Amino acid sequence: MNKRFCMTLLCLIWANYSKAQQSSFPKLAGTDSISLAKQIPVLASEVLLKYKTGANQGNYPDSLFKLQMLADQPEGALAGINSLRKLSGNYNPKYAALLNVQYELFLRTNMMVAGSGKSFNQEFTRLFRDYLRQLDDLDALYINPLFVPRNGLDNLKKDFMLLLAQTKLTDRIDMNEAVKICNAYQTLCVYQKTEKLAKNILKQDDNRRYLIQDSVLIRTNDGATVSAVVVRRREMNFPAPAALMFSVYSNLERSLSEAKYSAARGYVGVFADTRGKRLSSDPIEPYEHEGNDVNAVIDWISKQSWSNGKVGMYGGSYSGFAQWAATKHIHPALKTIVPYVAAIPGQGLPMENNVFLNANYQWSFYVTNNKYVDDAVNNDRQRWAAMRNNWYKSGESYRKIDSIDGTPNRLLQKWLMHPSYDSYWQDMVPYQKDFSRINIPVLSITGYYDDGQISALDYLNEHYKYNPKAKHYLIIGPYDHFGAQMGGVPFLRGYQVDPTALINTKEITFEWLDYVLKGGRKPGILKDKINFEVMGSNRWGHAASIEKMSNKKLQFYLSEIHSGNDFQLSLKRPFKPADIKQEVDLADRESFNNDYYPDPIMKKELDRSNGLFFISEPFRKEVIVNGSFSGILKAIINKKDMDIGVVLYEVKPNGEFFQLSYFLGRASYAKNRSVRKLLHPGKLESIPFSKTRLVSRQLKKGSRLLVVLNIDKNPFAQINYGTGKDVSDETIRDAKVPLKIRWSNDSFIEVPLLE
């Protein structure tokens, strides 16, 4: 095909696209249900006459069949659904056949009852039951969410009415608006007519497949109770291993879904709630009892007639923490754990490297306001943003932050009593020599952009430190906290993720459980102990340890010599001592210091109003930054403490900034997170740091490294005024004298590379 023909074809496609985009339609005259039922099918028919392939390209096939449904073109709509399934089969052939089955059954039912006098409800029920009987247990599970709107029917209707309201201000509806209205209306119609029916049919089908106990109460050894869900396949008449998830996020529908999935994979599925949640009448005290309570559940499982005495655990975030909590005094029936993005209380949140963060300030209310979760309070972003900003502007102590909000934060106030990583935190998870007794296989999963990555990796590093023979595997890639729990998303905070990085976390989890508990094959992705996706190369790398991810470490000094508008990030040790001065007015509330959070990951420009910027020479060949950067900062300050931020970027040859990693931590805890050692004003201090985010990224020839050194002062964390008092008690009145720092040019960072 020659270039001239290609250009002609592109012009024709674009002309059709532009024409379609310019099309418009009269706005809807009425928005009551009767008026809509008359008007929208007419609108759909008019849209179909002008709707072209080029318009709305990504959604065109999906929109087309819905328009055809509305315009009473059922055969065309069915053909469109089949076309989508063929297209989907290129990406996910296993479940392509299930795609849009809710629309297909709706269509086929309408075709059968048209003019026949038959009942829609009866025919839909018959068709759906027959369809479900053809599916195996796993496929049937994937069907469930297709027939029940994710956020509920009421929210689906609200979203549709909001869409209509947005078109009232104009006399005409453009093509995109018309397509959106038709799609949303068709989806609403399908669920309004089928959701209640489908729920009953799905429940009956579940009861046909499984033995379900949704109200189990398990007593702990200290007299508390934990509620649980247990699901077994009806045909399983022999003892089997159990797959256990333990969580504070109580939700019966989710619990049943997880337990049914485990049962469909050949396990007894058990989902247990933190004490105080769901059916438990005890106080809700997150983190404090998991070591005891998880083991009580494991002990109960091991004594049931359906148990073969083997339990594997899995799950993310809080569930990841709960698994590690169980290993502090490990029960003999626990044979493996698969923690994703596992939290360490006191390490990742509510504080990171001894700095209390506001990132999930509302979490306390979210999980303790009721027996389940309080989504409304958790999702009230306006309230929490106002709370942060009002506290920041007020200059009040961090201990009074909940008074700014107006609601006492009981858990936060308890946590603030423990600014060091003391016995309160240490008792919640394995600590130091506790790791030496953990001899079960472990598979950890986390992401380069997981907010809690330092927690997940701390478990791994401590496990190997105290048990060098540990069988602990890691999968890590370009995922955030939620993405790691499902295997990634194609676009992460503006970064297009390499296709090979997209995995199926749950599939790998159960391959691992089969490997450990049933003698199956090890998941194919686990070529070595550390398995990492190399961003920018579209390939996975494998190493025996984090240390062996790299074969070279470059030590860059924070030079006082300028390089354009920046300072040099130099590979040469300075010939003579020199200082780089920085002054931070901690009383200033008109600006923020330390823009460290990687969102977006790729930036056209950086905020250069504060902080110190150090840039390297361009790399002469491609290299891979592979591991966790670290360093030693040397400084003389006029106060007793400071909170430090260090951000590491790749500066691409085109000038774009790609954030690789960052560090946030309190100087007085740099050498021991459990013991605070204040700095001496006027004396040169050495401040080591290492708990940064691990990353793997291929840098092109001509790329450079940029280090941004700053002091943390913003609404997103405590403000350390440097008096030496408990930082939670300091106020803006302690900021009379600005923080003055003389950073030594003998300070350095160490970057691990793979060449």
Side-chain angles (χ1 to χ4, degrees):
M1 189 180 292
N2 62 48
K3 291 183 178 179
R4 181 176 295 179
F5 180 79
C6 289
M7 289 301 296
T8 304
L9 185 62
L10 284 172
C11 288
L12 288 171
I13 291 174
W14 177 251
N16 282 335
Y17 172 74
S18 300
K19 185 178 179 182
Q21 292 299 92
Q22 293 167 4
S23 299
S24 64
F25 310 90
K27 71 176 183 180
L28 300 175
T31 56
D32 60 279
S33 59
I34 296 175
S35 298
L36 290 173
K38 293 178 180 178
Q39 294 175 90
I40 291 186
V42 175
L43 176 62
S45 297
E46 292 176 352
V47 169
L48 280 171
L49 293 174
K50 301 177 181 179
Y51 198 45
K52 305 295 181 184
T53 307
N56 238 355
Q57 283 192 10
N59 295 323
Y60 177 80
D62 186 65
S63 300
L64 182 63
F65 87 78
K66 291 174 186 171
L67 290 167
Q68 291 170 323
M69 288 178 71
L70 280 169
D72 196 22
Q73 299 176 18
E75 297 295 346
L78 288 172
I81 290 172
N82 285 328
S83 296
L84 275 170
R85 287 174 181 165
K86 289 178 182 178
L87 184 64
S88 175
N90 296 328
Y91 305 98
N92 192 346
K94 187 174 182 182
Y95 300 111
L98 308 179
L99 185 65
N100 290 315
V101 69
Q102 70 273 42
Y103 295 101
E104 180 187 357
L105 291 184
F106 180 84
L107 273 166
R108 293 195 181 283
T109 304
N110 277 332
M111 292 168 71
M112 291 181 67
V113 301
S116 69
K118 295 180 179 179
S119 160
F120 177 93
N121 288 3
Q122 288 180 348
E123 289 304 309
F124 180 83
T125 299
R126 184 182 62 79
L127 276 180
F128 195 13
R129 281 177 177 164
D130 289 346
Y131 182 82
L132 286 170
R133 288 191 183 98
Q134 300 171 29
L135 302 180
D136 64 25
D137 292 346
L138 274 177
D139 284 352
L141 284 177
Y142 283 97
I143 283 291
N144 272 259
L146 298 180
F147 285 87
V148 181
R150 181 178 298 177
N151 296 320
L153 194 55
D154 288 342
N155 283 326
L156 200 64
K157 186 173 183 179
K158 286 179 185 177
D159 291 342
F160 172 68
M161 297 309 294
L162 181 62
L163 191 62
L164 284 184
Q166 292 170 350
T167 66
K168 285 184 177 180
L169 301 177
T170 58
D171 292 328
R172 306 283 294 179
I173 303 172
D174 69 26
M175 174 64 79
N176 286 334
E177 289 174 325
V179 171
K180 286 180 182 178
I181 288 171
C182 290
N183 283 355
Y185 181 75
Q186 180 59 71
T187 299
L188 181 61
C189 288
V190 169
Y191 283 120
Q192 280 181 325
K193 203 159 186 179
T194 64
E195 185 205 32
K196 188 175 180 180
L197 287 171
K199 280 184 174 179
N200 288 332
I201 298 165
L202 288 166
K203 186 174 181 179
Q204 292 167 10
D205 191 65
D206 282 343
N207 289 331
R208 178 177 67 86
R209 297 174 189 269
Y210 306 109
L211 292 167
I212 298 174
Q213 298 171 272
D214 62 7
S215 303
V216 177
L217 277 176
I218 300 167
R219 187 166 293 278
T220 67
N221 57 16
D222 61 351
T225 54
V226 169
S227 62
V229 163
V230 179
V231 178
R232 294 179 286 146
R233 292 172 69 178
R234 284 190 178 274
E235 63 188 44
M236 186 177 286
N237 54 10
F238 52 86
L244 168 64
M245 182 180 282
F246 193 102
S247 179
V248 73
Y249 304 111
S250 295
N251 180 309
L252 182 57
E253 187 175 316
R254 183 205 173 193
S255 301
L256 286 168
S257 177
E258 289 288 351
K260 284 187 291 184
Y261 184 90
S262 297
R265 295 293 301 241
Y267 294 85
V268 177
V270 183
F271 191 108
D273 304 289
T274 297
R275 74 163 66 180
K277 302 293 286 184
R278 206 162 71 88
L279 305 178
S280 170
S281 59
D282 300 289
I284 304 170
E285 297 172 321
Y287 297 130
E288 297 184 7
H289 305 286
E290 265 61 19
N292 178 76
D293 293 358
V294 178
N295 280 310
V297 174
I298 294 171
D299 187 66
W300 178 84
I301 290 172
S302 69
K303 295 175 180 177
Q304 303 307 303
S305 59
W306 41 255
S307 170
N308 71 354
K310 296 180 180 180
V311 178
M313 293 188 70
Y314 73 99
S317 195
Y318 194 96
S319 297
F321 146 73
Q323 294 168 65
W324 282 109
T327 65
K328 190 173 181 73
H329 304 289
I330 194 164
H331 192 284
L334 182 60
K335 302 302 181 182
T336 187
I337 60 174
V338 189
Y340 328 140
V341 294
I344 297 181
Q347 281 296 312
L349 288 172
M351 60 182 180
E352 178 167 328
N353 295 321
N354 301 93
V355 179
F356 278 92
L357 306 178
N358 290 331
N360 67 345
Y361 172 92
Q362 71 276 13
W363 186 85
S364 169
F365 307 112
Y366 177 48
V367 299
T368 66
N369 275 3
N370 59 52
K371 293 290 183 181
Y372 293 88
V373 289
D374 192 334
D375 287 312
V377 88
N378 189 54
N379 295 332
D380 192 350
R381 296 183 180 181
Q382 186 175 356
R383 172 183 172 183
W384 307 121
M387 179 273 298
R388 291 193 302 266
N389 292 329
N390 291 338
W391 164 75
Y392 182 69
K393 291 176 182 178
S394 75
E396 286 291 347
S397 71
Y398 195 76
R399 203 177 299 279
K400 291 185 178 180
I401 192 170
D402 54 358
S403 67
I404 301 293
D405 173 52
T407 307
N409 192 325
R410 177 179 59 84
L411 286 183
L412 177 67
Q413 292 300 330
K414 180 187 287 189
W415 295 335
L416 291 179
M417 299 298 293
H418 303 278
S420 302
Y421 191 68
D422 58 16
S423 59
Y424 172 75
W425 305 109
Q426 293 167 13
D427 288 346
M428 296 178 183
V429 293
Y431 182 66
Q432 294 186 349
K433 292 184 179 180
D434 294 336
F435 284 98
S436 66
R437 298 187 292 272
I438 303 174
N439 292 313
I440 60 172
V442 178
L443 172 59
S444 290
I445 301 175
T446 187
Y448 303 139
Y449 300 98
D450 167 26
D451 298 345
Q453 190 212 94
I454 62 169
S455 294
L457 292 190
D458 200 60
Y459 285 121
L460 181 138
N461 290 328
E462 292 292 290
H463 195 186
Y464 273 115
K465 178 180 178 180
Y466 291 99
N467 186 353
K469 295 182 179 180
K471 298 176 182 177
H472 193 149
Y473 291 76
L474 174 69
I475 296 174
I476 187 167
Y479 319 125
D480 63 7
H481 193 68
F482 296 101
Q485 299 179 62
M486 62 183 184
V489 292
F491 289 90
L492 177 63
R493 302 178 191 172
Y495 166 59
Q496 185 172 350
V497 171
D498 295 336
T500 193
L502 302 178
I503 59 176
N504 187 324
T505 299
K506 186 167 281 188
E507 185 72 24
I508 292 170
T509 296
F510 278 84
E511 287 177 359
W512 173 267
L513 293 178
D514 288 348
Y515 165 63
V516 177
L517 301 177
K518 297 182 178 181
R521 290 184 178 181
K522 190 193 312 180
I525 196 173
L526 302 179
K527 300 290 193 295
D528 214 325
K529 293 295 177 62
I530 310 299
N531 305 274
F532 51 94
E533 201 275 329
V534 183
M535 291 189 292
S537 74
N538 196 34
R539 66 178 178 84
W540 283 85
H542 312 275
S545 65
I546 289 178
E547 292 73 22
K548 291 182 179 179
M549 285 177 64
S550 59
N551 56 15
K552 186 175 183 179
K553 290 189 177 180
L554 294 183
Q555 200 167 87
F556 291 95
Y557 290 89
L558 308 186
S559 172
E560 82 286 3
I561 301 171
H562 281 276
S563 175
N565 295 325
D566 303 318
F567 293 100
Q568 288 183 8
L569 188 62
S570 176
L571 288 170
K572 297 179 181 179
R573 192 179 188 115
F575 291 112
K576 59 180 181 179
D579 294 334
I580 305 164
K581 295 181 180 178
Q582 183 180 14
E583 184 173 310
V584 180
D585 182 0
L586 295 168
D588 171 35
R589 290 297 180 270
E590 298 303 316
S591 63
F592 301 168
N593 278 59
N594 199 26
D595 181 19
Y596 67 86
Y597 194 72
D599 188 6
I601 293 167
M602 298 174 64
K603 300 175 183 177
K604 296 288 186 182
E605 57 185 30
L606 302 178
D607 176 11
R608 291 180 176 266
S609 62
N610 56 68
L612 302 174
F613 293 73
F614 301 85
I615 195 162
S616 74
E617 291 293 316
F619 286 98
R620 295 180 181 178
K621 60 180 181 179
E622 286 190 351
V623 297
I624 298 173
V625 175
N626 226 37
S628 302
F629 85 102
S630 57
I632 296 178
L633 302 174
K634 298 179 181 180
I636 298 172
I637 71 172
N638 63 334
K639 294 179 180 288
K640 296 179 181 180
D641 204 0
M642 57 182 174
D643 291 348
I644 301 167
V646 186
V647 188
L648 181 65
Y649 292 94
E650 171 198 1
V651 183
K652 299 167 71 175
N654 65 2
E656 288 183 339
F657 302 93
F658 189 102
Q659 185 162 340
L660 298 170
S661 183
Y662 69 90
F663 167 80
L664 173 67
R666 183 155 295 160
S668 58
Y669 286 102
K671 295 176 181 176
N672 189 331
R673 60 189 176 182
S674 298
V675 179
R676 190 181 190 194
K677 185 178 180 182
L678 296 173
L679 281 61
H680 297 87
K683 179 183 175 182
L684 182 66
E685 299 277 4
S686 181
I687 306 164
F689 69 92
S690 59
K691 289 188 182 297
T692 66
R693 266 68 181 172
L694 181 146
V695 69
S696 179
R697 164 78 174 168
Q698 182 171 286
L699 276 57
K700 300 294 184 183
K701 177 183 176 181
S703 288
R704 295 178 289 173
L705 291 178
L706 177 72
V707 168
V708 183
L709 176 62
N710 214 336
I711 298 301
D712 202 57
K713 184 200 66 146
N714 50 60
F716 304 104
Q718 285 178 313
I719 297 174
N720 187 344
Y721 293 93
T723 65
K725 297 187 294 187
D726 187 329
V727 174
S728 296
D729 294 321
E730 292 179 312
T731 73
I732 201 168
R733 292 179 288 279
D734 293 304
K736 296 175 183 177
V737 179
L739 172 63
K740 296 180 180 180
I741 315 165
R742 291 159 52 196
W743 299 102
S744 169
N745 64 349
D746 201 28
S747 302
F748 66 86
I749 69 161
E750 197 168 70
V751 180
L753 298 181
L754 180 64
E755 292 185 328

